[in-house]
Amino acid sequence: PGSTFKLVTAACAIENIPDLMDRTWECTGEYDPGKGEPIRCNGVHGRLTFKQALAKSCNATFAQIAIELGPEKLNSEQGRFFLEKSDPDDYVGWTGIGQGDTLLPPIAMLRYMAAIANDGKAVSFNEVNSLASQAGKALNLNITKNETQLLSTETAAQLKKLMRNNVKAQYGEYNYKGLHLCAKSGTAEVDKDTDHNTAWFVGFMDDADHPYAFVVVVEHGGSGSQTAGPIAGSVLR
């Protein structure tokens, strides 16, 4: 999932680090947990708040946060991502930024986006094979809607504000004019060749008249914000 997974790490941090919004972290371009390969960043960001770190998608900051949280807390977030308690710090750091061996299907990320948009409640998914009968007559579909409280209302509200800030501060509100977009980009490294990266762009429209969540995944797409982001904007418009 690349840096879209930072939204999972962010939720865990919001719920487990009381002074999260008052702290700052230093980014020198990489973070070395002391074991394995240093975790490189996409720039030298200097001193960042949590809000700034998410907007700039700072690997150094989120690796430090993931290591501080530890595999137990990260693993308990949403039920889910199968870290071993004995995982070394460098591995936990890679997981916290959505790289390494971290795997997540797009449909699970879509459910997570819907939960953030919906005050923490994740809706059930229904597969619809057709909206009409073979004769072309419209079907009267009665789809059951179940909801699961995936996140607390407070955590969902904070994530929504942070994702809205991502668009305003980083992706450019002018690129998504009128969409009331809350989003996070991600670039998943497949190998050393950047042309082979998988581009992600996830989020939702904070608009009661158009309550749409989305996940865009472009294999071999390069950068999430540059490739997947414009696709999301085009489809939503």
Side-chain angles (χ1 to χ4, degrees):
S3 290
T4 64
F5 193 83
K6 287 171 182 165
L7 294 172
V8 177
T9 306
C12 190
I14 289 168
E15 293 173 351
N16 290 282
I17 302 178
D19 61 345
L20 181 70
M21 299 301 178
D22 298 321
R23 288 173 56 180
T24 58
W25 290 262
E26 185 71 25
C27 171
T28 61
E30 68 176 29
Y31 176 68
D32 188 353
K35 300 175 183 177
E37 185 180 354
I39 296 170
R40 295 178 301 280
C41 205
N42 55 15
V44 179
H45 297 124
R47 188 152 293 278
L48 297 169
T49 64
F50 183 71
K51 181 178 179 180
Q52 292 169 330
L54 185 64
K56 293 184 179 296
S57 205
C58 179
N59 289 343
T61 296
F62 271 82
Q64 292 177 69
I65 290 171
I67 290 168
E68 179 178 339
L69 289 167
E72 233 177 290
K73 287 178 181 174
L74 276 178
N75 201 35
S76 66
E77 186 64 30
Q78 274 72 280
R80 90 257 72 243
F81 298 113
F82 311 110
L83 284 168
E84 295 295 334
K85 294 178 182 178
S86 60
D87 283 335
D89 284 351
D90 61 323
Y91 186 82
V92 177
W94 284 108
T95 298
I97 65 171
Q99 303 287 2
D101 295 330
T102 312
L103 298 174
L104 192 64
I107 198 165
M109 182 60 78
L110 182 62
R111 187 168 183 260
Y112 189 47
M113 293 303 99
I116 297 171
N118 199 34
D119 299 324
K121 294 184 288 290
V123 296
S124 58
F125 286 163
N126 298 275
E127 181 180 349
V128 179
N129 292 320
S130 176
L131 296 176
S133 68
Q134 288 183 336
K137 185 178 180 180
L139 298 175
N140 183 16
L141 296 175
N142 184 17
I143 296 176
T144 302
K145 181 181 177 182
N146 297 314
E147 294 181 341
T148 302
Q149 195 72 39
L150 196 66
L151 295 163
S152 72
T153 302
E154 295 76 18
T155 299
Q158 288 202 56
L159 287 172
K160 182 185 288 190
K161 287 180 181 178
L162 290 166
M163 292 173 68
R164 186 76 182 104
N165 178 69
N166 289 350
V167 176
K168 291 180 176 180
Q170 200 66 29
Y171 309 136
E173 182 79 346
Y174 57 89
N175 289 319
Y176 305 98
K177 189 175 180 180
L179 296 181
H180 308 284
L181 209 67
C182 301
K184 180 74 185 81
S185 67
T187 305
E189 295 179 2
V190 178
D191 57 33
K192 298 295 184 183
D193 187 344
T194 56
D195 290 337
H196 292 171
N197 289 342
T198 297
W200 287 70
F201 199 71
V202 306
F204 54 89
M205 294 171 66
D206 189 19
D207 179 354
D209 293 329
H210 305 92
Y212 302 126
F214 63 88
V215 170
V216 177
V217 180
V218 185
E219 293 184 349
H220 295 183
S223 165
S225 60
Q226 294 177 19
T227 303
I231 293 172
S234 179
V235 171
L236 292 172
R237 277 189 290 271

